């Protein structure tokens, strides 16, 4: 069965960087784009960008350009999202989500369980 | 970017009642690229509806999506206790992908 596994929680200091991982299993990792979505405490969902695990191509939301880097390691079927120059308002749960597109629709069909990142001095 | 506005922010209902949730887009969105998710506390969102009106696998038929253009609706015909949650609409028509602010369905 399809699974996206993310690990635990992290605490980071302002100005530091974070790197969240998303281990995929149960499907062909390179066959589906992976997206990242975050959710600040008590707030809604915010799209951050995607990575094509096959080519490594990425597309980032304008808000995060210059601070976010999405990568993947196909040998371990894992996607990574790195966010630099952290601020307190980056405190959020970070989710990976697989996008499924079957003409003509697209949607996020599987989500990781999320990684809580707290930015605090 | 395509802004999605959900209303109401909170819906207070009882089990067995009907819930009607609205998602309005600032510009037209192809219905094929509109999805709805349910999120419970501490959990990741779960896909309910894709293509505006297609139920995802395993979603009960009391959930119905409808709409086109700029107005979309999620209807829950008879609320079950497990349906009390937050619901988000999302558009995939263009980047950046955007979500509505959510509607909380509470008892």
């Amino acid at each position: 069965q399809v699974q996206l596994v993310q690990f635990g929680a992290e605490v980071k200091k302002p100005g530091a960087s974070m790197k969240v991982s998303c281990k995929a299993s149960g499907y062909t990792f390179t066959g589906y784009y992976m997206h990242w979505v975050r959710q600040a405490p008590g707030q809604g969902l915010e799209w951050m960008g995607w990575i094509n695990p096959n080519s490594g191509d990425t597309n980032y939301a304008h808000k995060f350009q210059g601070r976010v880097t999405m990568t993947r390691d196909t040998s371990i079927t894992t996607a990574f999202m790195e966010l630099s120059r952290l601020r307190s308002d980056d405190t959020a749960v970070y989710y990976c989500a697989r996008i499924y597109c079957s003409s003509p629709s697209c949607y996020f069909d599987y989500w990781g369980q999320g990684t809580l990142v707290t930015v605090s001095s | 970017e395509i802004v999605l506005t959900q209303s109401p922010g909170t819906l207070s209902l009882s089990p067995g009642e009907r819930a009607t949730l609205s998602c309005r887009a600032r510009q037209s969105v192809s219905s094929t690229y509109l999805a709805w998710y349910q999120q419970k506390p501490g959990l990741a969102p779960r896909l309910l509806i894709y293509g505006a009106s297609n139920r995802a696998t395993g979603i009960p038929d009391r959930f119905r999506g409808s709409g086109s253009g700029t107005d979309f609706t999620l209807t829950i015909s008879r609320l079950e206790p497990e349906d009390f949650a937050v619901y988000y609409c999302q558009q995939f028509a263009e980047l950046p992908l955007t979500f509505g602010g959510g509607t909380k369905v509470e008892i």
Side-chain angles (χ1 to χ4, degrees):
Chain A
Q1 72 283 21
V2 174
Q3 282 192 302
L4 301 177
V5 178
Q6 299 181 245
F7 294 104
E10 302 184 26
V11 180
K12 297 291 184 181
K13 293 195 181 302
S17 296
M18 59 172 247
K19 190 171 185 177
V20 178
S21 65
C22 172
K23 166 73 175 175
S25 62
Y27 71 99
T28 302
F29 178 64
T30 53
Y32 300 82
Y33 285 32
M34 191 72 78
H35 290 241
W36 291 87
V37 175
R38 77 177 187 178
Q39 185 171 38
Q43 302 301 309
L45 301 166
E46 182 175 33
W47 179 77
M48 299 182 70
W50 57 251
I51 182 168
N52 177 346
N54 188 42
S55 65
D57 289 344
T58 56
N59 189 300
Y60 305 138
H62 180 75
K63 173 178 180 176
F64 300 103
Q65 285 179 4
R67 285 208 302 144
V68 70
T69 304
M70 296 177 189
T71 58
R72 89 294 188 217
D73 184 336
T74 57
S75 69
I76 56 172
T77 65
T78 299
F80 302 93
M81 189 281 296
E82 185 169 11
L83 191 63
S84 63
R85 303 193 300 279
L86 291 170
R87 307 184 293 254
S88 58
D89 62 358
D90 290 318
T91 294
V93 175
Y94 289 81
Y95 294 102
C96 58
R98 188 184 86 160
I99 189 168
Y100 180 86
C101 290
S102 177
S103 184
S105 298
C106 289
Y107 43 88
F108 291 154
D109 60 348
Y110 289 94
W111 296 66
Q113 74 270 40
T115 298
L116 173 62
V117 177
T118 302
V119 182
S120 174
S121 55
Chain B
E1 72 178 49
I2 298 178
V3 176
L4 300 177
T5 301
Q6 290 187 242
S7 61
T10 302
L11 204 47
S12 298
L13 296 168
S14 300
E17 290 192 299
R18 179 187 187 93
T20 303
L21 288 66
S22 171
C23 174
R24 287 196 166 155
R26 197 173 286 179
Q27 61 196 80
S28 184
V29 173
S30 169
S31 60
T32 57
Y33 294 118
L34 195 288
W36 289 90
Y37 301 87
Q38 176 194 67
Q39 187 178 34
K40 296 181 179 179
L43 297 179
R46 176 176 74 140
L47 176 69
L48 293 177
I49 300 287
Y50 65 92
S53 61
N54 302 286
R55 278 187 300 277
T57 303
I59 301 303
D61 60 7
R62 64 180 180 272
F63 290 92
R64 188 172 75 90
S66 62
S68 64
T70 59
D71 290 318
F72 298 90
T73 301
L74 175 69
T75 303
I76 310 170
S77 58
R78 293 174 313 279
L79 283 164
E80 297 287 342
E82 62 267 27
D83 299 336
F84 291 91
V86 180
Y87 294 83
Y88 295 95
C89 57
Q90 182 195 16
Q91 65 81 22
F92 289 86
E94 65 178 50
L95 295 179
L97 304 186
T98 51
F99 294 88
T103 291
K104 181 179 182 180
V105 178
E106 65 175 22
I107 298 177

